Structures are given as structure tokens and as C-alpha cells.
DNA sequence: GCAATCGTGTTATGAGATAACGTGACAAAC
DNA sequence: GTTTGTCACGTTATCTCATAACACGATTGC
């Protein structure tokens, strides 16, 4: 197995617990919400959650939503297109849709390069109402 | 004068003070940093800053940077292209470059529309190293 | 006058994140 | 086999960011 690809089986106990909490949820969770979910599993302090989250984000298994101060499990496991992610966040139901778009990523690269800016990470978060909630 | 366009002259005292603090700074400021800058002007509590910031953001004079939990004065005063903003944030010097790009905005609208998503607000924040800091 | 609205001031509290310390497990180096 | 380094883990305290709740005064429209 590729040493750079992290799967659930390679996670530590705490990382696996946090990953499980995020995977079961259909919307983003804050670190403190995760902590509450894991009290019965022995979690006592925020740092236990944050340390696991740091690693999970590093592994590409979890994304941080800056505009929500919350975290979601990646919906594209094993996908390497993670340079080009955008999130559509429904302000009604809270659900998040993760999309990967090459042309968007290209445009961001162009803009950065035109400004001589060495791009490391892109944050694209769209707020609005999802199709389900519009219909309702 | 157009009633929907807010200029500095229409601001309340607190709003003007906060706007002044942000305008003088060449990098984003947190609400609490602004508070510290304005203690001599009578500011005592965070809420005074946050209330002014809420209005300034509403007027389009100030932008909130989600990935920094900080605020910057808009560099395009009077410009109405504020549907399409992206920020390039230098992780070395902290300076922020605000850019407005139509083709980026179009692509975001396309993506949303394709998903039946009613787009309200876009957050695009690019992290990296600015050209000045690369040269140094 | 009187109600409605808005900006303001103050205190307390909630929510998000990290610093600083120490422990135990494990593997490489000697 | 002991030393050294690294890493995950646990705990406490602290820091930063943001809002709730309440009260006061000025302005406007009736
Ligand atoms: Zn992903
Ligand atoms: Zn929805
Ligand atoms: Zn602007
Ligand atoms: Zn720089």
C-alpha cells in the first residue's frame, strides 16, 4: 500500500473515533460538537479532538470549512483532485456539497500566477440554499 | 446622493472610528485588535467593534476574511463588482490583495446553477506567498 | 405626547482554539 | 540493552473570537 495514502485502517484510535463521528454526520460538525459525541468513548478535552482533526485534515480525509468553523468528512475518498475543491453550504438545512472543478482551479491558478503569488491553498465556500430546500 | 451608497461621511462616530482603524492598516485586523486601537477613543467592549463592523460589512466598505477571523477595508471604494471578490492572503507578511474577476464569478455561478443551488455569497480566499516576500 | 427605531454602553457568557506541561509506547542508533 | 528521538495521548489553564441580555438616549413620524 502506498505510504502516502491514509485509509481508515491506518488511523490511531482517537483519529478513528473523530473520523467516525464526522462520517456518520450528514452535515459539518464543530470540534466541540465532536467532543460531546465522543464523551462516552473517553474524550475529555478539546485538544484530543483538535489533534485528531489536524491529522485527518493533513491526510485529506477531512476538510475544514472556514466560514463555519466546522469540519466535514471528505466525500471523495481516495480522490487526488483535492487541489480544486469548492463547497456549497446550504444555509437552511446545513448540508454541504463538495465539488471538484478543474476549470475553477485553473482560473485560480491563473489569477495567482498573474499576481506573482505562490498559491498554497484555496478556500472556496459558496453560501446559499440547496435545491431540496428551495423546493420545500 | 444615492441613498444606497454609503460613504465615510454618512457613518456614525463608532463606525467611522472602526473604518479609520481598518483604512490605516495595511493588513487585516481582528475585532479585538481594533478594540485595542480605539481604547483612547472611548471604546471599552468588543460589542462596540462588532456592531460597527456588521454595518460596515453591510455597506460594502469592509470585508470579513473567514480564514483569518479578521477584517479589511475594501480597496475598491464605490465599486459595485463586489459579487466577484477573491482575496490573496500572504502567509509571510500578512498583506491581503483584493481582486475582482468576472470569469471566476461566472464559473461559480455556473457551478451553483448546475446544482440547482441558489447562490447568495461567495467566499474565495487564496493562501500563499506574495511576490514581494518571494523576492526577499 | 407617544410609539417605533436606531445607535450606543455595559456586563456576562458562550464558542472556538492553543499553550504548556507530563506520560507511555515504540523504533532507530549506539 | 540502554539511550535517544519521535509520536500519540491526557490534563489543566488560558487565550481568542463572538454574542446574549439589558438599559439608556436621540431621532423620527404620528
Ligand atoms: Zn474532499
Ligand atoms: Zn438545504
Ligand atoms: Zn471590496
Ligand atoms: Zn508577503
Amino acid at each position: 500500500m502506498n505510504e502516502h495514502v491514509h485509509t481508515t485502517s491506518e488511523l490511531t484510535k482517537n483519529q478513528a473515533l473523530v473520523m467516525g463521528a464526522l462520517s456518520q454526520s450528514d452535515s459539518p460538525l464543530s470540534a466541540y460538537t465532536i467532543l460531546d459525541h465522543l464523551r462516552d468513548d473517553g474524550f475529555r478535552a478539546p485538544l484530543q479532538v483538535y489533534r485528531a482533526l489536524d491529522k485527518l485534515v493533513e491526510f485529506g480525509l477531512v476538510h475544514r470549512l472556514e466560514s463555519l468553523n466546522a469540519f466535514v468528512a471528505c466525500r471523495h475518498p481516495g480522490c487526488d483532485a483535492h487541489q480544486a475543491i469548492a463547497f456549497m453550504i446550504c444555509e437552511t438545512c446545513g448540508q454541504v456539497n463538495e465539488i471538484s472543478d478543474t476549470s475553477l482551479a485553473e482560473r485560480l491558478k491563473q489569477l495567482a500566477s498573474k499576481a506573482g503569488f505562490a498559491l498554497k491553498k484555496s478556500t472556496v465556500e459558496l453560501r446559499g440554499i440547496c435545491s431540496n430546500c428551495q423546493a420545500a
Side-chain angles (χ1 to χ4, degrees), chain A:
Chain A
M1 179 174 293
N2 186 320
E3 61 181 332
H4 294 297
V5 174
H6 288 77
T7 65
T8 307
S9 63
E10 302 175 29
L11 300 178
T12 68
K13 181 190 166 204
N14 283 5
Q15 288 162 12
L17 285 169
V18 170
M19 191 66 206
L22 284 173
S23 299
Q24 286 172 16
S25 172
D26 60 346
S27 43
L29 298 178
S30 77
Y32 278 73
T33 303
I34 295 172
L35 174 58
D36 286 337
H37 286 189
L38 296 179
R39 297 239 180 238
D40 294 342
D41 298 290
F43 274 54
R44 315 305 279 137
L47 216 52
Q48 297 175 280
V49 179
Y50 281 109
R51 287 203 271 233
L53 284 172
D54 283 348
K55 287 297 180 183
L56 292 171
V57 168
E58 182 184 325
F59 299 159
L61 295 174
V62 165
H63 301 295
R64 174 187 172 85
L65 297 174
E66 303 285 354
S67 65
L68 292 179
N69 292 327
F71 302 82
V72 284
C74 176
R75 304 302 182 193
H76 304 150
C79 173
D80 60 352
H82 277 183
Q83 296 83 14
I85 335 177
F87 298 95
M88 298 191 303
I89 303 169
C90 177
E91 293 180 338
T92 299
C93 67
Q95 286 201 343
V96 171
N97 186 11
E98 177 181 348
I99 58 184
S100 183
D101 185 68
T102 314
S103 106
L104 171 61
E106 278 307 316
R107 187 65 191 145
L108 294 179
K109 277 183 204 163
Q110 280 176 21
L111 288 171
S113 131
K114 195 168 72 177
F117 186 82
L119 181 58
K120 284 188 175 178
K121 181 178 186 298
S122 306
T123 297
V124 180
E125 299 180 11
L126 309 181
R127 309 292 290 260
I129 315 286
C130 78
S131 54
N132 279 347
C133 290
Q134 288 175 71

